[in-house]
Amino acid sequence: MKPQSRDKGSPVVNVLKLIAAGAVAGALVAGVALPAIGGAGVAAKSAADGFQQLPAELHEAPLAELTRLYDKNGKQFAQFYNNNRESIRLDQVSEHMRKAVVAIEDSRFYEHGGIDFKGTIRAFSQNAQTGAVRQGGSSLTQQYVKNVLKANAKTEKERRAAEAPNYGRKLTELRYAVALEEKYSKDTILERYLNISYFGSGAYGVQAAAKRYFGKPAAKLTLPEAATLAGIIHWPNRYELPSGLPKKQRQAHEKAMLERRNVTLDRMKELGVVSPQEYQEARASKLNLKLTPAPGGCEESDYPYFCMYVKQEILNNPAFGATFEEREARLNSGGMKIYTTLDPKMQKASEKALRKYVGPKETEVASQAMIEPGTGEIKALASSKKFGPGKGETMLNLAADAKHGGGTGFQAGSTFKAITLATALDEGWKFNQGMRTPGSFSSSSANDFKNCKGDSVGDPSHTVFNSSGEGKGGSYSLSTGTWSSVNVFFMMLEQEVGLCDTVEMAKKLGIKKTALGRDLVQVPTFTLGVNEMDPLTVANAYATFGARGKYCTPMAITEIKERNGKSTKIKPSCKQAIDEGVADAVSHVLQGVFTKGTMSGVGGIGRDAAGKTGTTDGYMTAWFAGYTPDLASAVSIGDIRGAYQHPLTNVKIGGQYYGSVQGASIPGPIWVKSMREALEDVEATSFHAPDFGRFGGGYTPPSEDEKKKDEEDEDGGPDVDIPRIGNGNDWFGRRPGNGNGNGNGRGGRPDRD
C-alpha cells in the first residue's frame, strides 16, 4: 500500500482554482460524470459562486447493523436486521482486500485530496464524446459520501435525490469529500468505505460480504476472494446470487462475477501491487464461492419460540426506545449483542419430549416452559408445532403469554389447587387436617364466596362434581385431597380460607393476569383453574415453591452489549413472596402426587420432585406443572382450533388413542421425560424438610362408611382394622388417581380460544 500523502495546498483552494479556470474546469467539477450538455459555463459559474456556501460537515449516522442473540454458552441462535452488516476495523480486513478495492475503485486514493482530477478529466472526456454516462470518475471518498447520503435518506424521495445525476448533487458530494479528507486519515476513510458499501446478495460491508460469499471473516480473504468482492462494489445488483436463483441465471451471474474478478486482478498487476506469481495463481483459480445463508428473524432461528420471547421483551420495553418504532429500529439496526438464558440442552430435551407424544401436524398442541427457581432464568420455551406461517404451523408463542407473542392460553385446571393448598398452609392448616366431603358442591348463598372487591360471587345454581374415581365423596385431608385432586374438597377448602386470600396468593406467585393480559376471573371455581394461562407463568409460580417462597420475575436476557462496546448486565429481580416454611410444606405435599397421587402411575425423575396434574371441565385442556429445587416446568395441551369447541375426548394424538386426555395422560409423561434429560448433568438438590411441629398432625373426621364400620366393630362386628384418614395413614393416597381437576364455574368462564 502506498504511504499517505496529500497534494500541495489546501484541497479547497485546489478546487476553487479549478473552478476559476473557466467553463471547462467548471464543467469538470460541477458536471463530472454527466452527459455533455449546453450551459456548462453558466452552471460552472453558479457552482463557483455557491461552492463555499455548501455545508462542509457531513452527517454520518450510525450504520444499520444486525442484532445477534446468543444462548447461555455464547453461541448465536438468531439475528435481526434491516441491513446484514457487521462493522469492523481496517486491521480486521485482509491486506489483499484493501489493495484490491483501492486498485479497482480509486488507484490514486492515497495521492489525491478527495477529488481525483485526472480521473475527473478522463471521465468528462469520455462522457462528453458519448453523450451519456460511461465513466464515473468519482474518488473513493466521493463514493463514501454518496453511500452516506443514501444511508441517511429516510424516504424514497430522499434516496433518489442522493443518487440524482445533476450538478447540485455532484457539487455537494465534492464539497463533502473535500471536508472529509481534512477530517479523517486515508485509512479511516477506507475503513468507513468498506463498512458502508453494498456487496450484493443482502451483504452490507466487507465483513458480511466475506461471510456471505466465502463463509469466512474479512481478515482471512485470499487474493482471488478479495478481488472478487472488490469487483462487485461498482455494480452489486449485477452479481446478486439470491436463494432460489434458477441454475442458468446463477451460472450467468457467476460467470460475470469471475470476469469482473479477473479485471480487478489485471488492474492490480498493472499497478504492481501483486507479484507475477500471485497474479498467475489467482487468475487461474476458480471462483470457489461458498454461499452462506444469512437468515434473520425468529422464523429462521433454531429456537424460534425463545427468540420470539426475547424479541417481544425488547419491543415492549421503553428502555429500548420511547416508541415502538424506535425499539423496532434499534432491534433491527442497532448492532446489539444480546446474551440470553437459553439452555440448548434443556431446550432440546423439551422439544424431544413434546415430539414423542404430540405430532407437529395435529390440531392438538402441547407447549412447555422451563425456568430456574431462585433466579427466574428462562431455560427453554417449546411447542409441538413448527413455528411458521405454513399449514399445520403456528406463529404464536404458545409457551408464553400474549405480551410475548402467545395466544389466549388454556384454562389451567387443577394446577391452581396448589395455590389454594399454599393459602391453607399459610393460614395454619395441617397436613392431616381435613373434612368430610359430599360428591358434589354448590354454594348455599352468594355470600359464601367474596372476591377481592368484597362482592358476593357465590352461585347456588351451579354445582361442582367430583370426577370419576371420587364418586360419592369422602373424608380428605389437605394431603390426600391434593394427591387425589378432589374437586369438592378444594371448593370447600377455598370457601374456608377465602376466595380473595387464594387470589392474593396467586398474585404473590406471579399469577396477576390471564395469558391474554386480562384481570383474573375471581369466581368460586378459581381454585379449579378457570383462568386461561400460559406454561411460563404457571411454571414460574411453581418455581417460587421450589425456591422456598422466593419469587423471581422471568428473565430471558442476561447482558446487552451495544455496538460501541458498552455492556449492560441484567441481574435477577427476586423477592420473598411467601414464607419459607409454607413453601417447604407445599413441596412436601406435592411430592406425594408422584408417589401416592395422580402421577403414581407415571413415575418420577430419580430425584426430589413435586408437582400437580390438571384437567379442565369436559377434558378441554390438560396440564402438568412441577419442579425440583433446580428447575421448574409446566406443560399444557389443548386443541389449537379452540379448546371449548374441541375437547380432548376420543382423540388420536401422537399415534395413540385416548378416550379422554388428563393431566397424567400426556402432559405428565412429557414433563417426566423432558425433566430427566434436562437435569441429567445437574447435581440433584433435595427439598428442605417441612416443619412438622408447625404443619404436622391435624384431624380429618371419618367418612360415613368409616364411621359405620367403626360402630360395627364396637357392636361386635367383623374385627377389621379400618385406617383413619388424618392420622398419617396413606390409605386414600393409594387409591388410583385420575389426574382430574374438572371445574369451570358458571359465569366464571372467560372468552374462549
Side-chain angles (χ1 to χ4, degrees), residues 441-450 455-462 495 524:
F441 174 88
S442 58
S443 303
S444 59
S445 74
N447 293 325
D448 287 350
F449 293 88
K450 292 183 181 293
D455 301 328
S456 298
V457 293
D459 184 0
S461 67
H462 179 65
Q495 185 178 15

Side-chain angles (χ1 to χ4, degrees), residues 37 187 239 274 292 294 313 322 544:
I37 59 174
D187 281 351
Y239 311 106
V274 294
T292 303
E313 274 283 279
T544 305

Side-chain angles (χ1 to χ4, degrees), residues 273-537:
V273 295
V274 294
S275 68
Q277 183 177 350
E278 287 178 320
Y279 169 76
Q280 292 295 339
E281 291 176 355
R283 197 71 158 68
S285 67
K286 295 181 179 179
L287 203 55
N288 292 324
L289 293 179
K290 187 181 179 182
L291 283 174
T292 303
C298 294
E299 189 175 344
E300 300 292 337
S301 172
D302 288 338
Y303 310 117
Y305 297 106
F306 199 99
C307 172
M308 173 68 78
Y309 190 95
V310 176
K311 176 182 178 181
Q312 294 303 126
E313 274 283 279
I314 293 171
L315 295 181
N316 293 330
N317 192 340
F320 291 94
T323 65
F324 178 86
E325 290 73 21
E326 288 179 14
R327 297 191 288 271
E328 186 175 42
R330 187 174 180 189
L331 176 67
N332 292 329
S333 59
M336 296 181 291
K337 291 183 178 180
I338 301 175
Y339 295 88
T340 75
T341 59
L342 173 66
D343 187 313
K345 179 178 175 60
M346 293 181 177
Q347 177 73 32
K348 290 173 183 176
S350 176
E351 293 172 355
K352 184 177 178 181
L354 289 166
R355 287 195 300 266
K356 177 177 173 63
Y357 290 95
V358 184
K361 297 295 184 181
E362 293 170 334
T363 58
E364 297 81 14
V365 57
S367 302
Q368 183 174 27
M370 291 181 172
I371 193 166
E372 184 177 73
T375 66
E377 290 191 3
I378 304 168
K379 298 300 182 182
L381 295 171
S383 175
S384 60
K385 283 198 171 295
K386 183 179 179 182
F387 184 85
K391 185 177 181 181
E393 300 175 345
T394 182
M395 296 291 283
L396 293 175
N397 187 12
L398 298 174
D401 59 12
K403 184 179 178 181
H404 293 92
T408 60
F410 290 131
Q411 288 184 315
S414 291
T415 59
F416 265 43
K417 289 176 181 174
I419 300 171
T420 314
L421 167 66
T423 307
L425 289 166
D426 189 51
E427 295 185 4
W429 279 62
K430 311 292 186 181
F431 292 142
N432 295 329
Q433 182 178 347
M435 63 193 85
R436 186 182 297 142
T437 67
S440 63
F441 174 88
S442 58
S443 303
S444 59
S445 74
N447 293 325
D448 287 350
F449 293 88
K450 292 183 181 293
N451 64 21
C452 292
K453 292 182 179 180
D455 301 328
S456 298
V457 293
D459 184 0
S461 67
H462 179 65
T463 302
V464 172
F465 295 93
N466 284 331
S467 52
S468 59
E470 294 162 5
K472 299 178 181 179
S475 293
Y476 294 94
S477 69
L478 204 59
S479 297
T480 59
T482 300
W483 297 339
S484 294
S485 195
V486 184
N487 292 340
V488 171
F489 173 81
F490 272 92
M491 291 297 298
M492 295 173 66
L493 181 64
E494 184 185 58
Q495 185 178 15
E496 288 289 321
V497 301
L499 169 60
C500 182
D501 287 357
T502 306
V503 172
E504 288 301 320
M505 177 60 72
K507 291 181 177 180
K508 290 178 182 178
L509 298 171
I511 301 177
K512 300 178 180 180
K513 298 282 186 178
T514 68
L516 205 55
R518 295 175 176 171
D519 290 337
L520 296 173
V521 178
Q522 299 183 27
V523 292
T525 48
F526 183 88
T527 187
L528 304 184
V530 67
N531 283 280
E532 292 169 321
M533 306 304 301
D534 59 277
L536 180 59
T537 300

